[in-house]
Amino acid sequence: PSPSPSPERQEPGRSAVASAPSLAPPMPGLGGGAAARISVVAPGAGTGANAAVYAELGRMPDFRLDIKGQARAPYDRYPASWQGGAAGPNLETFAAQLMDQGIVEQSDCLVVGSRGGQVVLPSLWSRFGASVPPAVVINGGCAMGLPTAVHWPTQAVTFLLIGGQDNFRGKASVEEYIADTKSRVPKASSRTAILYVSEMQHMPQSALLGAVLPQMVRALLAWKRAGASAPPPHDKMQAVLAAVTQQNQWSGRLMYTCGAGVWQDLPFGGANAAEKVAPQRPRQAVSAAFGGA
């Protein structure tokens, strides 16, 4: 089957995002107290289903939000190197267009999801390396066995949000899924975090994404600002943990590097919470199962 977008990827609520005051001219973010420029790559990020989450993010005074592209556009399909993919326009040509438009230079943080994490972010890394801004990667698409190699920069600042109910997990056990995800992170990386939520579906529930996304972005910005040799922003990570636990309905693990290959691992929602949810769908190699938000 073709991996081209399925109906649930439509963006019926995109107008709600576009009307948010977040689309004001970009302001500097990492250098001081001004609002950080957050670029959301729409294909795969769920800007329709989670339009209210992104609109709220854009209303926060410390962020300036810009939605890049839209789902179900002609370029919203996998490239020819993927099973069922196609020649341009596709997500690789869309990534090239974003780069030509200055997404790397004009952003302080990126938010990508699903196929955006599988194709767009790796394309940015391939061209710009560690100059790519910190990235929240919903569904952890860059940390999978993909048909093209991912040139993940050692100095990248990255926060993955992955779920136990996501078809990206496939048939893997929780421990296998987490171990496989961590194995894709560069061994020398000291600025990578993973939030695993047992109950999260491929399209993150709005209550979950709305709670954790602002804190994940703040953690990334602080990590980037501190520099590669600085310790991780433990206070910001605790804020992520507080956000995911305050609703008392999520369980899983927060993991982040404290040095090259050294991981802090913080379970939440109970001692055995991460083992509560069984996998739902097969973890296929490269197919339509890689589609999504």
Side-chain angles (χ1 to χ4, degrees), residues 116-144:
Q118 293 174 312
V119 181
V120 177
L121 180 60
S123 295
L124 302 184
W125 279 343
S126 181
R127 178 168 164 185
F128 286 96
S131 296
V132 174
V136 173
V137 187
I138 301 168
N139 314 114
C142 62
M144 302 178 69

Side-chain angles (χ1 to χ4, degrees), residues 16-17 20 22 50-63 65 210 214:
V17 178
S22 57
N50 279 316
V53 171
Y54 290 110
E56 180 61 26
L57 190 73
R59 285 191 285 268
M60 296 180 180
D62 49 338
F63 301 137
L65 198 72

Side-chain angles (χ1 to χ4, degrees), residues 126-234:
S126 181
R127 178 168 164 185
F128 286 96
S131 296
V132 174
V136 173
V137 187
I138 301 168
N139 314 114
C142 62
M144 302 178 69
L146 304 179
T148 54
V150 175
H151 301 288
W152 189 326
T154 299
Q155 297 300 320
V157 187
T158 316
F159 209 139
L160 311 182
L161 175 61
I162 62 175
Q165 297 296 289
D166 192 337
N167 60 282
F168 277 19
R169 174 183 167 187
K171 291 183 176 180
S173 70
V174 171
E175 290 302 327
E176 289 169 342
Y177 183 34
I178 290 174
D180 181 72
T181 300
K182 290 168 70 174
S183 75
R184 313 285 179 177
V185 178
K187 297 292 186 267
S189 172
S190 61
R191 292 191 288 179
T192 301
I194 302 170
L195 180 62
Y196 170 83
V197 181
S198 300
E199 299 82 6
M200 192 186 96
Q201 302 165 357
H202 188 75
M203 178 69 71
Q205 293 90 324
S206 295
L208 171 64
L209 189 65
V212 302
L213 183 57
Q215 302 302 338
M216 295 172 76
V217 171
R218 292 181 182 117
L220 287 175
L221 293 171
W223 223 345
K224 178 70 172 181
R225 189 164 48 240
S229 61
H234 295 288

